[in-house]
Amino acid sequence: MHDHHDHDNELDEMTARVRALETVLVEKGLIDPAAVDAIIDTYENKVGPRNGASVVAKAWSDPDFADWLRRDATEAIASMGFEGRQGEHMHAVFNTPETHNLVVCTLCSCYPWPVLGLPPAWYKAPDYRARAVREPRAVLAEFGVTLAPDTQIQVWDSTAELRYLVIPERPAGTEGLNAAALADLVTRDSMIGCGVAKRPGAT
Ligand code: FE
């Protein structure tokens, strides 16, 4: 059963209601649209993905936890306090030199909220949803990710039932870093598969 979808169709009822409500509140001077944008940015880019980054950092530094993530990502992630709506059934996919994982929701915009926050606009766009499947290597290149020609790309199609978290490869030169420093290297995009983890010292 495919019971939930966050359709990106602007005419859907919930979007129309939210737009109307926002318009009225702005017109009455009750909210500042820039403040709304700042809040969305916070949940898309800052608060949300920091949860996932701490999961990745733990997987990098604790082999038992990494095994647990492979076996039962939902439970392993919940053990860190990250659970709830849109994260009930998680699957962690680990990048290796042989295989790069990329996540999409071809049908709509299913996304693991407890670990990544709100999906970015491009994740919900028809262009990404179609092209991630048809030409993933070209899409990755546009995100600045160039893989070795013999690296396979595995594309995972999210559904209401199953959400994916990409565990990017641990960058070289990170042996001495603690969990917080490791988490700082983990970008949101790297956990969708549209990026790689930063190297230490990179901006
Ligand atoms: Fe979806």
Side-chain angles (χ1 to χ4, degrees), residues 182-202:
L182 288 172
D184 283 343
L185 303 175
V186 182
T187 64
R188 176 196 67 196
D189 289 0
S190 74
M191 295 180 281
I192 304 173
C194 292
V196 296
K198 294 184 286 186
R199 302 183 75 107

Side-chain angles (χ1 to χ4, degrees), residues 23-61:
T23 302
V24 169
L25 292 170
V26 169
E27 280 175 357
K28 287 182 176 295
L30 294 172
I31 60 170
D32 173 357
V36 174
D37 289 346
I39 291 167
I40 291 171
D41 176 64
T42 297
Y43 285 96
E44 274 183 3
N45 297 308
K46 301 187 180 94
V47 175
R50 296 337 297 158
N51 294 346
S54 65
V55 172
V56 172
K58 192 171 167 79
W60 282 347
S61 39

